[in-house]
Amino acid sequence: MTMEMLAAKMRDLGHKWTKITVHNIETGDRQLRMKEAVDLAECVGADAASVVRNLVISQNAVAMNRALAEAVRARRTFLHGGRILLNANERLHEVAVECGAMDENEKIIRQQCEDELQLEKQLIDIAGKLDKLAKKLHLDEESDALVSNPF
């Protein structure tokens, strides 16, 4: 069935479709409304319930993929910021020692450094767990996209 034929059938069912509409839906540039999905299934002789179920599963997979990719990006950003902060605190400690500034501020800074080192260990643990989750979901590390649909 051509795009024009499908658009004509959908117009007969009351939708304002053109072959451009069909193309945009096929390429993902336009979302398919629920009523359109049911009518589209009828046009191509498919079971409407199966089409709707597959659309919901597909949308859930896309949403999960986006959320997981965002979590991976946030983890990378968070770890990078934590490392910068730790390096700055280490340098501040070195400068304080060089200046002989072993006062109350030094104790506070030292405690903050120790706290941040503990946080870094926790972040590395979380990063490892996120990496395991990404591998289970077949997340491509470079593109932040699912390699295959886990559903």
Side-chain angles (χ1 to χ4, degrees), residues 11 14 18-21 25 28 35 39 45 51 57 67 76 82 87 89 94 96 102 128 142 150:
R11 282 193 301 271
T18 66
K19 73 177 187 177
I20 293 172
T21 308
I25 290 170
K35 174 70 173 136
D39 289 345
V51 170
I57 290 170
R76 288 179 189 149
N87 291 338
N89 278 333
E94 291 169 4
M102 296 299 289
E142 295 301 317

Side-chain angles (χ1 to χ4, degrees), residues 1-10 17 22 26 39-46:
M1 175 182 312
T2 67
M3 288 184 188
E4 187 56 50
M5 291 169 61
L6 180 56
K9 284 186 173 189
M10 290 297 284
W17 277 31
V22 176
E26 285 181 350
D39 289 345
L40 179 60
E42 181 182 319
C43 286
V44 297

Side-chain angles (χ1 to χ4, degrees), residues 81-122:
R83 288 183 189 113
I84 290 172
L85 185 57
L86 284 172
N87 291 338
N89 278 333
E90 287 174 11
R91 181 63 188 134
L92 184 58
H93 176 72
E94 291 169 4
V95 169
V97 169
E98 290 171 5
C99 295
M102 296 299 289
D103 59 1
E104 190 62 29
N105 289 334
E106 177 63 24
K107 292 176 186 176
I108 292 169
I109 291 170
R110 189 172 301 178
Q111 182 60 48
Q112 287 174 341
C113 287
E114 290 171 8
D115 292 346
E116 288 167 8
L117 286 172
Q118 184 63 31
L119 178 60
E120 175 74 9
K121 290 176 186 175
Q122 291 172 353

